[in-house]
Amino acid sequence: MSLLGLMHFAIFTVLCLLVLTCVPYQAEASTRFFFGRKPHVDVFASEDGICASSVLVHGYKCQELEVTTEDGYILSLQRIPEGRAQVSGGGKKQRQPVILQHGVLVDGMTWLLNPPEQDLPLILADNGFDVWIANTRGTRYSRRHTSLDPSSPAFWNWSFDELISYDLPAVFDYVFSKTGQKINYVGHSLGTLIALASFSEGKLVNKLKSAALLSPVAYLSHMHTQLAVVAAKSFVGEITTLFGPAEFNPKGLPVGAFLKSLCVYPGIDCNDLLTAITGANCCINSSTLDLFLSNEPQSTSTKNMVHLAQIVRRGVLAKFNYVRPRYNVMHYGEIYPPIYNLSNIPHDLPLFISYGGQDALSDVRDVETLLDILKLHDVDKLSVQFIKDYAHADFIMGINAKDIVYKNVISFFSHQVSN
Ligand SMILES: *[C@@H]1O[C@H](CO)[C@@H](O)[C@H](O)[C@H]1NC(C)=O
Ligand SMILES: *[C@@H]1O[C@H](CO)[C@@H](O)[C@H](O)[C@H]1NC(C)=O
Ligand SMILES: *[C@@H]1O[C@H](CO)[C@@H](O)[C@H](O)[C@H]1NC(C)=O
């Protein structure tokens, strides 16, 4: 293949991966645009921040905070210290902290798009938790650095390895230092992967009380869409070598043109793109989807997308592969990148896992691989929920997620005793 051909193919593949990995979001967005229905005008002024636009307006307290990672990224963090109905100054009962970690190509706003009584952070606050919403580097409110500018390639020189090494520890340390208590964690999608990988390396666990993993992603071999096949057969590993680190901004891409190119691809049914890509989300209200479209997707780095593609293709959760053995040796002292060995997750770590039967990204077979790895986990520390009708985005935006999922998360958190 010519260099131009290779680049073209590589770009196409990254776009495919965009759809695959950000799955529901981009797919829904795409479907909507595709059918000519524009989302409503921006409901939120982005300058306002997440507290002002989505929390304070509902009568909850909310603080905008920032945390600087060891490698210099300044991350935004929102704290909702208590529920709406809380009688302040009352009982001295300490509230347990909960960190919420979103997935790839979205930010912390993604937890707050339903009416307040259906949103996980607000439900947690109302149930007596001290809620902290994380926002990964590169997303709208986390685009600052002590020395780098987002317009420079060096700002985007990271993959989820750095979210594991820097972002998560920074947020955990901060919350732990402010509350002095062990932390409950809720992750969705990539937010589950980086947590599992961290735990497998013994990171965070000394500050962790329990973790709820919604739509868990650790293995990605079975994403069941035609697009997955295209991605899996490709060699996106070369992309960073070709282009260097860069911002991967879904909003900056010609989505319409991309969709047209997808529709002529064999096996892609544009009449049902949403279902074909994400699995059929059973329970998302169209007004929530409109809000979603005016707020997401958010940027990540090309290197992060490539890393995810590597996980899809190799079927094993490993560190970023620089492809050239010399580079791997330089970074890891080995020819192949080291794996995150999930067997090493401490067996007594309280884990709640909830997965969906219709999820095309977090495929049932891949979750079963994860559960198989966890088969030596202490039985009373692992709680698994399977929701037949749920797909990827139902876990964060489903109108009935409160009753089906969040209720169980809260009950799980409430029943773990700190050790
Ligand atoms: C990206 O980071 C690697 C080290 O991990 C370094 O060798 C490379 O020069 C960096 N590239 C840019 C553009 O900062
Ligand atoms: C969908 O959202 C609209 C607007 O917020 C609301 O009026 C309607 O009741 C919602 N539907 C369901 C099933 O929750
Ligand atoms: C992962 O860790 C387990 C237990 O420590 C070990 O038996 C296994 O060989 C490791 N797997 C790999 C691929 O290193």
Side-chain angles (χ1 to χ4, degrees), residues 148 152-158 162 244-245 303 322 330-331:
L148 301 171
S152 76
F155 183 91
W156 300 99
N157 195 7
W158 50 269
E162 280 71 26
K303 190 172 174 182
Y322 287 87
M330 205 163 79
H331 282 92

Side-chain angles (χ1 to χ4, degrees), residues 115 118 285-288 399:
Q118 294 173 11
N285 192 337
S286 61
S287 60
T288 298
I399 50 170

Side-chain angles (χ1 to χ4, degrees), residues 79 94-99 128-132 171-186 202-211 346 348-350 381 413-414 416-419:
R79 181 186 197 179
Q94 276 207 312
R95 299 177 194 290
Q96 291 183 35
V98 183
I99 291 174
F129 290 89
D130 175 7
V131 180
W132 304 72
V171 173
F172 265 75
D173 288 350
Y174 186 84
V175 172
F176 190 72
S177 74
K178 294 292 173 196
T179 64
Q181 293 193 77
K182 287 202 171 181
I183 296 161
N184 298 289
Y185 178 89
V186 181
K203 290 186 178 125
L204 312 179
V205 292
N206 60 342
K207 301 191 179 79
L208 185 74
K209 185 160 171 281
S210 54
D348 60 351
L349 195 66
K381 301 290 184 186
F413 286 166
S414 305
Q416 304 306 318
V417 280
S418 254
N419 44 22

Side-chain angles (χ1 to χ4, degrees), residues 351-405:
L351 292 178
F352 173 83
I353 290 178
S354 185
Y355 68 111
Q358 304 301 314
D359 196 331
L361 174 63
S362 182
D363 185 275
V364 168
R365 286 163 293 180
D366 290 327
V367 177
E368 280 164 0
T369 304
L370 171 65
L371 293 176
D372 189 55
I373 301 265
L374 295 174
K375 64 179 182 287
L376 298 176
H377 211 78
D378 295 357
V379 278
D380 59 336
K381 301 290 184 186
L382 179 63
S383 175
V384 179
Q385 176 184 33
F386 173 67
I387 308 167
K388 194 164 129 287
D389 296 332
Y390 260 32
H392 207 64
D394 288 314
F395 288 91
I396 39 170
M397 294 190 283
I399 50 170
N400 51 4
K402 177 182 184 173
D403 295 324
I404 296 184
V405 185

Side-chain angles (χ1 to χ4, degrees), residues 44-57:
F44 306 138
S46 50
E47 285 71 33
D48 286 344
I50 290 175
C51 279
S53 65
S54 314
V55 182
L56 293 167
V57 287

Side-chain angles (χ1 to χ4, degrees), residues 209-223:
K209 185 160 171 281
S210 54
L213 309 174
L214 312 181
S215 207
V217 175
Y219 301 96
L220 285 166
S221 306
H222 290 101
M223 294 191 302

Side-chain angles (χ1 to χ4, degrees), residues 203-344:
K203 290 186 178 125
L204 312 179
V205 292
N206 60 342
K207 301 191 179 79
L208 185 74
K209 185 160 171 281
S210 54
L213 309 174
L214 312 181
S215 207
V217 175
Y219 301 96
L220 285 166
S221 306
H222 290 101
M223 294 191 302
H224 48 272
T225 77
Q226 288 296 322
L227 292 177
V229 177
V230 175
K233 286 186 178 159
S234 67
F235 35 88
V236 288
E238 316 295 346
I239 288 213
T240 38
T241 326
L242 279 174
F243 298 107
E247 176 171 2
F248 188 85
N249 178 6
K251 285 181 173 157
L253 294 168
V255 174
F258 162 54
L259 275 171
K260 288 210 177 83
S261 75
L262 272 191
C263 293
V264 299
Y265 214 83
I268 310 284
D269 178 5
C270 283
N271 292 315
D272 201 2
L273 200 57
L274 172 60
T275 303
I277 292 167
T278 69
N281 293 296
C282 61
C283 303
I284 298 178
N285 192 337
S286 61
S287 60
T288 298
L289 214 47
D290 286 341
L291 267 189
F292 181 85
L293 294 178
S294 53
N295 286 283
E296 317 286 356
Q298 301 284 321
S299 287
T300 187
S301 67
T302 50
K303 190 172 174 182
N304 195 27
M305 297 306 283
V306 168
H307 195 175
L308 283 165
Q310 293 175 352
I311 305 305
V312 174
R313 287 183 303 152
R314 304 221 168 88
V316 55
L317 186 55
K319 300 202 178 186
F320 185 80
N321 191 343
Y322 287 87
V323 182
R324 292 182 192 162
R326 191 163 59 84
Y327 288 177
N328 281 334
V329 169
M330 205 163 79
H331 282 92
Y332 309 118
E334 300 166 44
I335 293 176
Y336 297 107
I339 65 160
Y340 291 103
N341 188 342
L342 299 186
S343 310
N344 295 334

